[in-house]
Amino acid sequence: MKLIPTILTVCTVISSNFVFSQSTNETKGKEIIEKAVKATGGKELLNSIKTLYSKSSTITDGRNVNYITKEMAPNMGSFEVEYQGRIVYRSWFDGKTGYNMVNGEKKIADQEEFKDKLDRKYIMNELAYLDPTIYNVEFVETDNDQKLHKIKAIAKDGSITNLYYDTESFLLKKEVKENPSKGSFSTILCNEYKKFGDLLYCSKNTFQSEDGDQVVTLIDLYYNKGIKRADFKY
């Protein structure tokens, strides 16, 4: 009969250590993200950003194209592909519904593609990672050879974003997004950072895929001006 209390005691100790480890990893993960927030401009600045515009250049199918994004807090956004000065594709979300336009034809899009937008509250992702109502985060490991901290951010829908922060600058160097329900993932590398006003922002990305890498260079970015609600209307 003495065996049962002993087993219960061991189980309690193991459970307590597991919970403590989880709590410790969560705290450490958030501490690293908070340092990343400070490195890019500070929490006050990031919280103050209510609209964000960016224009980037890349090469698609051998052609020079531009990508244009517009965002307005809490969760409105649009993505446009510009070719030879003309918008050939547009996808946008008005806060409730997602749409797209191809060659001038507008239509309601597959809403599955926009479901992650419903939970958005912030434009800057690091603020969302620190919000427990949106993400659960935990420190995973430090790769001393690559000098990267790895943090796992799990969204409410079960999708996972693995974040890799530089151990010295605390700037985000890589993110790997996983969608277990679809069995898919994507990898984005941040190659360079540049100052835009008071904001330090990734200015050169590499999008990795099975079809090959695509390098995207930021050519313009501004915040809190030039964007209005009408930009996201159908």
Side-chain angles (χ1 to χ4, degrees):
M1 296 297 292
K2 291 183 179 180
L3 183 60
I4 294 177
T6 302
I7 293 174
L8 291 175
T9 300
V10 172
C11 289
T12 300
V13 170
I14 293 173
S15 177
S16 297
N17 287 338
F18 177 71
V19 172
F20 176 76
S21 177
Q22 278 189 315
S23 177
T24 302
N25 287 338
E26 179 184 0
T27 299
K28 187 171 182 178
K30 288 187 174 181
E31 286 176 350
I32 292 170
I33 294 173
E34 285 171 351
K35 288 179 180 179
V37 168
K38 185 177 181 180
T40 53
K43 189 172 288 187
E44 183 176 351
L45 172 65
L46 269 58
N47 267 314
S48 73
I49 297 176
K50 303 303 180 184
T51 67
L52 185 72
Y53 170 93
S54 70
K55 185 173 185 177
S56 305
S57 64
T58 189
I59 297 175
T60 302
D61 296 329
R63 301 173 179 176
N64 294 315
V65 299
N66 292 326
Y67 294 157
I68 299 170
T69 65
K70 298 177 183 179
E71 296 181 72
M72 175 176 279
N75 65 345
M76 288 180 281
S78 70
F79 171 76
E80 300 173 347
V81 177
E82 181 186 59
Y83 176 62
Q84 294 184 338
R86 185 170 64 93
I87 302 300
V88 296
Y89 174 81
R90 184 175 184 238
S91 172
W92 72 101
F93 186 72
D94 66 5
K96 295 181 179 179
T97 307
Y99 306 89
N100 57 40
M101 179 182 72
V102 182
N103 295 325
E105 182 181 352
K106 298 179 182 179
K107 63 179 181 179
I108 296 177
D110 179 0
Q111 297 307 295
E112 184 70 15
E113 298 175 7
F114 297 88
K115 68 176 185 177
D116 62 315
K117 302 291 189 293
L118 296 172
D119 295 325
R120 286 190 70 90
K121 298 180 185 178
Y122 317 93
I123 288 180
M124 311 308 290
N125 288 334
E126 268 65 27
L127 296 179
Y129 298 144
L130 292 171
D131 189 333
T133 67
I134 305 176
Y135 283 97
N136 291 322
V137 300
E138 62 180 54
F139 169 78
V140 178
E141 63 180 352
T142 296
D143 186 330
N144 291 315
D145 292 331
Q146 297 293 322
K147 295 184 178 180
L148 294 172
H149 294 304
K150 179 181 178 181
I151 294 173
K152 179 182 290 188
I154 305 173
K156 290 172 64 177
D157 66 359
S159 60
I160 298 169
T161 304
N162 296 296
L163 306 162
Y164 297 81
Y165 291 96
D166 187 275
T167 56
E168 295 178 0
S169 68
F170 291 97
L171 295 175
L172 183 66
K173 292 297 184 177
K174 180 172 75 170
E175 64 177 47
V176 180
K177 295 186 177 181
E178 304 175 32
N179 192 327
S181 64
K182 292 185 177 181
S184 62
F185 70 94
S186 62
T187 301
I188 304 173
L189 306 180
C190 181
N191 308 110
E192 297 175 9
Y193 275 83
K194 184 179 176 180
K195 204 81 176 286
F196 295 87
D198 294 323
L199 178 67
L200 187 62
Y201 200 83
C202 186
S203 58
K204 189 174 183 178
N205 290 111
T206 299
F207 293 81
Q208 296 183 326
S209 71
E210 295 179 355
D211 299 325
D213 295 352
Q214 182 179 35
V215 177
V216 179
T217 302
L218 188 61
I219 56 178
D220 192 18
L221 180 143
Y222 55 78
Y223 49 90
N224 292 338
K225 64 178 182 179
I227 295 177
K228 50 191 181 298
R229 287 183 175 272
D231 292 335
F232 310 100
K233 287 187 176 180
Y234 183 73

